[in-house]
Amino acid sequence: MFLPRNLTTALLSLLSLIIACEASGFRNNLLFSESDLPRMRANTENPIFKAYWEEELEKDIEEDGNFRREALIYILTGDAERGEVAREYTMEMVRRDRWHRFQDADGTPIGFLRAARKTARVSLAYDWLYDLFTPEEREEILTAIADKGCQPIYNGLHGMKHPESVIRWDFVPDDFREGQVLDMSRWPEILSKNNFRAVMNGGLALGLYTVGDRDPRSETWEEILLESIPYFNSLFKDDGSYDEAVSYVNYAMKFQIHAMEVVRRKRGIDFFDTANFTGLTDFVLAMYLPSHAERHGSVSFGDAGPSLQSSTAFWTARRARDGLSQYLGLKHADHYWSALFYYDPTVTAIPPPAGADFVNTDLDWIIARTGHEVEDAVVAMRSGGPMNHEHADRNSIIFKAYGEVLLSDPGKVTYDPRSPEWVLRTAKGHNMILIDGEGIQYHEGQEGTNESLSSAKILRYGERRGYSFWASDATPGYRLVNPDVEGVTRTVIFIPEAPCLVILDKVTKSEEPSLITARWHLENRDDKGGMTLQSAESFHFTRPEARLQVTTAGTQDVVTSEGEFDFPDNPIHYRYADVKTTEESRDTFLVTVATALRPDEPDPEVDITNDGTTWKVDYNKQGSELDIRIHDRGNLPEFEVERNDFLW
């Protein structure tokens, strides 16, 4: 008797799955099987991971409650005490009344980040500790995963897909804390397009394939999951860039990879090529900003902070045989537990090309650098459109050299719009132009830390021998605050070998003259930043290993002053220098030259002159000269680099 080809294939697949499960030692083999453990154990002794693993072994579950970590240590070491502690903490989580913080107005539970994280942890613990649970405990776990995890997460994803079905999302009453967002009417739309979706995908996928077909709702859960995974991947730009910046894509990818991998293992569906994950590696390296203060830092546009952890880099390297991703994971990343599984030593690490690099991402974010080491110079400027977790930072510049951040961004700050520290999220907290003390439009936190209405656009950019340049128009964001604004552009010339920046700011008004301020922020979160006002047109920022010398001239005389944000109950002194015009005008042009120097290095000689519409920058640093001629014609100035001794 012959069976139909498709039935034969199905039976063989089922038989293979049964054999694999019996041989694995795990209940569900969600992310890996018992056959993978020897390789993972060897990785804990590998010099690449040894220090990380020792740190994991020293962590205390009584301090962080991380039973997923304890369960992983148990299966890799056989430590029975760790296993028992993980079992106890798992059951404590299972027996909590709920895992979600949100609900619809009719009481329907809505699971976002918290519910997804708990579902993921409990599902992995069930897989790895299965033999330690009693039959009764197993039933409790499966019921909890289904009712407290999968269904609330599904409800959230369903609301994102069908926002018309949502009555009004809100906090569960006893979970509301003062200062949190009050207007969630657009949250089904907002959250559908950010990191929330990825975390929910990971939690639902692990929960779904733990519960399996014992729950009649699983088919519905799977249907929305298989739509949601590629939807999140579609949020990546064609070049692999991601608009919430690197630290948020790091958080998202931990769970999105869980979702993609468990679906690939259980259903044979591979989502890897629905996004440019090798391009994500390029994006992460473009945004990389290591310093003495943060070894694996990243350009902090918006709330973003640290760089990508190694698990995503190693996963990409493993799936695409990509040497640059392997290099990123080995050289420029902290580790995360799943890296122990995804690291494949047979992929050859290939570093990026040495020397200067210039990137304009599909987001209209500019990053230029001399290299990827701590001592290398990096300059980044935020142009482009709105994003989740953003700040009012269009045309703001971040500059790092010699291991020190010299033009600083506040990074992740308060989420409470009533806090005095909210001002750090606005233009006043960034390195940008203020018009009569005001910057671009920003919201008041009614919907959380979500997008504003402001946008900017890169108009020109390029690389020439010895320098790179770009120009961004942020007029729309300023005009939302002051309709009389006609134009606000910033042009940057980066000379990496110096390293120095020449910044050209052009501000035009239609009717009313204004006072214009160029604000520059000192990195002082460690209280090691210093500032000296040298003259009306120049100042110094100092850091332990570097300093910044800044000279400015403009169509109106300028005066430089020192300012500070001093917040109650916050020991950090956020200090800045303001370069402000002394006379109101409808047409203001500022030329700023900023040079990174080592502590004992002499200041360059900087002479900025103007004969009406033509400006000249004469720059001399220890005998090497830079001469730039600038034509102030129209909203976007033109420039010519007439001499540049700072060549690679």
Side-chain angles (χ1 to χ4, degrees):
M1 181 180 68
F2 293 96
L3 294 172
R5 181 184 297 272
N6 58 350
L7 181 56
T8 303
T9 302
L11 289 174
L12 288 173
S13 298
L14 178 61
L15 179 60
S16 297
L17 180 61
I18 293 171
I19 293 172
C21 288
E22 289 178 348
S24 72
F26 295 143
R27 176 62 177 177
N28 293 310
N29 303 294
L30 294 172
L31 297 176
F32 51 81
S33 303
E34 189 176 37
S35 59
D36 296 304
L37 294 184
R39 176 171 58 83
M40 295 173 68
R41 292 184 183 116
N43 280 338
T44 65
E45 297 297 324
N46 188 316
I48 296 166
F49 298 105
K50 193 171 187 298
Y52 160 76
W53 187 244
E54 289 173 352
E55 291 176 4
E56 290 292 284
L57 293 174
E58 292 173 0
K59 291 177 180 176
D60 188 350
I61 191 171
E62 292 187 5
E63 294 182 359
D64 61 18
N66 190 344
F67 57 87
R68 192 271 310 141
R69 180 190 64 240
E70 300 301 303
L72 181 68
I73 292 173
Y74 166 69
I75 62 172
L76 291 181
T77 67
D79 186 331
E81 184 176 348
R82 296 270 195 174
E84 178 57 24
V85 168
R87 187 198 67 79
E88 292 174 359
Y89 272 77
T90 301
M91 293 311 302
E92 188 276 330
M93 177 61 67
V94 165
R95 288 163 180 163
R96 290 186 186 181
D97 290 341
R98 57 180 172 79
W99 296 350
H100 61 281
R101 295 184 66 198
F102 299 86
Q103 63 181 28
D104 209 339
D106 62 0
T108 300
I110 305 296
F112 296 141
L113 304 182
R114 180 189 288 182
R117 291 194 302 265
K118 295 183 188 316
T119 305
R121 283 187 175 184
V122 173
S123 298
L124 291 172
Y126 180 85
D127 193 16
W128 301 341
L129 307 176
Y130 182 80
D131 290 337
L132 301 185
F133 296 115
T134 67
E136 294 76 18
E137 287 173 336
R138 294 169 191 160
E139 284 300 311
E140 275 191 84
I141 293 170
L142 293 175
T143 299
I145 290 173
D147 294 342
K148 300 175 185 178
C150 292
Q151 187 60 39
I153 297 170
Y154 168 83
N155 294 339
L157 291 174
H158 184 270
M160 294 175 184
K161 182 180 179 181
H162 301 286
E164 73 283 355
S165 70
V166 174
I167 306 171
R168 186 186 69 256
W169 284 349
D170 205 343
F171 289 94
V172 174
D174 62 357
D175 217 329
F176 176 76
R177 294 192 294 271
E178 289 297 322
Q180 296 185 122
V181 61
L182 297 177
D183 183 0
M184 298 184 189
S185 57
R186 289 200 315 124
W187 268 35
E189 173 192 351
I190 292 169
L191 301 189
S192 71
K193 296 178 286 188
N194 65 32
N195 65 87
F196 273 57
R197 179 182 288 274
V199 179
M200 295 163 72
N201 289 342
L204 181 57
L206 291 170
L208 163 64
Y209 294 109
T210 297
V211 174
D213 59 8
R214 75 187 297 275
D215 194 298
R217 298 169 291 184
S218 61
E219 185 175 341
T220 304
W221 297 339
E222 185 178 68
E223 181 181 358
I224 205 163
L225 173 69
L226 297 181
E227 292 178 356
S228 186
I229 291 173
Y231 187 99
F232 178 80
N233 287 348
S234 72
L235 302 180
F236 288 93
K237 300 297 183 182
D238 289 345
D239 65 353
S241 57
Y242 178 77
D243 67 3
E244 291 182 284
V246 175
S247 64
Y248 284 92
V249 80
N250 175 64
Y251 179 45
M253 284 302 294
K254 292 176 184 178
F255 291 88
Q256 183 73 353
I257 289 173
H258 288 345
M260 288 189 284
E261 285 300 303
V262 72
V263 167
R264 186 170 69 91
R265 290 169 67 86
K266 295 297 183 182
R267 299 284 279 114
I269 302 171
D270 193 347
F271 290 108
F272 184 79
D273 288 320
T274 59
N276 184 2
F277 292 116
T278 53
L280 173 59
T281 293
D282 296 330
F283 173 63
V284 171
L285 281 169
M287 297 283 283
Y288 192 57
L289 195 142
S291 68
H292 294 307
E294 190 167 21
R295 186 168 63 99
H296 295 312
S298 186
V299 172
S300 56
F301 292 151
D303 286 327
S307 190
L308 192 79
Q309 290 176 300
S310 65
S311 54
T312 298
F314 288 143
W315 174 77
T316 304
R318 185 182 190 89
R319 293 299 316 276
R321 308 298 299 178
D322 182 50
L324 187 61
S325 298
Q326 188 83 331
Y327 174 86
L328 172 61
L330 291 171
K331 179 71 173 176
H332 295 310
D334 292 322
H335 294 309
Y336 182 65
W337 70 266
S338 54
L340 295 169
F341 173 65
Y342 292 123
Y343 173 63
D344 181 349
T346 68
V347 178
T348 301
I350 300 175
D357 186 35
F358 177 83
V359 175
N360 178 18
T361 73
D362 287 352
L363 298 166
D364 255 2
W365 297 358
I366 296 284
I367 312 100
R369 67 179 63 247
T370 62
H372 291 85
E373 302 303 325
V374 169
E375 290 290 300
D376 284 312
V378 178
V379 58
M381 192 169 86
R382 160 86 155 101
S383 189
M387 71 181 200
N388 187 49
H389 278 292
E390 74 167 359
H391 293 182
D393 56 359
R394 306 310 179 277
N395 285 9
S396 183
I397 293 173
I398 298 170
F399 188 30
K400 186 262 315 187
Y402 307 128
E404 298 282 8
V405 175
L406 299 171
L407 289 176
S408 179
D409 182 278
K412 188 173 183 177
V413 291
T414 182
Y415 285 7
D416 182 353
R418 298 171 306 172
S419 166
E421 295 174 38
W422 187 263
V423 68
L424 294 175
R425 306 185 70 89
T426 72
K428 296 176 183 179
H430 295 82
N431 299 308
M432 54 195 303
I433 291 294
L434 303 177
I435 302 173
D436 294 324
E438 298 297 327
I440 65 171
Q441 180 269 342
Y442 192 63
H443 56 74
E444 296 180 358
Q446 304 95 325
E447 298 176 314
T449 57
N450 301 304
E451 73 274 8
S452 69
L453 301 175
S454 293
S455 63
K457 181 178 178 60
I458 296 294
L459 302 178
R460 300 175 185 170
Y461 65 95
E463 291 181 274
R464 300 295 182 263
R465 187 168 182 238
Y467 69 95
S468 55
F469 67 93
W470 58 93
S472 175
D473 183 357
T475 305
Y478 285 92
R479 192 173 285 159
L480 288 169
V481 175
N482 186 338
D484 190 50
V485 169
E486 188 173 296
V488 182
T489 65
R490 170 166 280 178
T491 302
V492 180
I493 308 163
F494 176 46
I495 300 88
E497 188 68 11
C500 79
L501 305 173
V502 179
I503 304 165
L504 314 177
D505 285 305
K506 178 72 173 184
V507 181
T508 54
K509 300 285 298 305
S510 296
E511 301 292 339
E512 297 295 326
S514 290
L515 292 174
I516 305 301
T517 302
R519 176 163 290 183
W520 308 106
H521 285 265
L522 171 71
E523 176 52 58
N524 194 44
R525 277 169 282 198
D526 56 4
D527 205 30
K528 295 179 181 179
M531 184 187 312
T532 302
L533 304 183
Q534 294 177 298
S535 69
E537 299 86 16
S538 64
F539 64 91
H540 268 113
F541 282 168
T542 60
R543 293 285 304 159
E545 301 297 328
R547 59 194 182 89
L548 185 73
Q549 197 279 333
V550 181
T551 300
T552 303
T555 47
Q556 292 79 41
D557 289 339
V558 298
V559 61
T560 301
S561 62
E562 180 178 350
E564 180 180 317
F565 292 117
D566 190 4
F567 304 112
D569 304 320
N570 187 339
I572 299 174
H573 299 283
Y574 294 91
R575 302 173 65 191
Y576 57 85
D578 275 348
V579 181
K580 187 174 183 177
T581 59
T582 58
E583 297 180 10
E584 294 181 337
S585 175
R586 290 189 292 112
D587 191 326
T588 300
F589 183 55
L590 299 177
V591 180
T592 302
V593 179
T595 303
L597 300 160
R598 295 191 183 276
D600 297 327
E601 195 174 3
D603 286 356
E605 298 174 15
V606 180
D607 189 22
I608 307 173
T609 58
N610 134 52
D611 63 5
T613 60
T614 302
W615 291 76
K616 186 74 182 297
V617 174
D618 294 304
Y619 179 96
N620 187 309
K621 183 182 179 186
Q622 300 184 56
S624 295
E625 295 186 24
L626 172 71
D627 297 332
I628 300 178
R629 189 178 300 276
I630 304 157
H631 306 281
D632 179 16
R633 298 190 292 243
N635 198 38
L636 197 64
E638 313 289 350
F639 68 89
E640 304 169 62
V641 178
E642 297 182 326
R643 175 173 177 172
N644 183 11
D645 295 343
F646 300 94
L647 302 177
W648 288 92

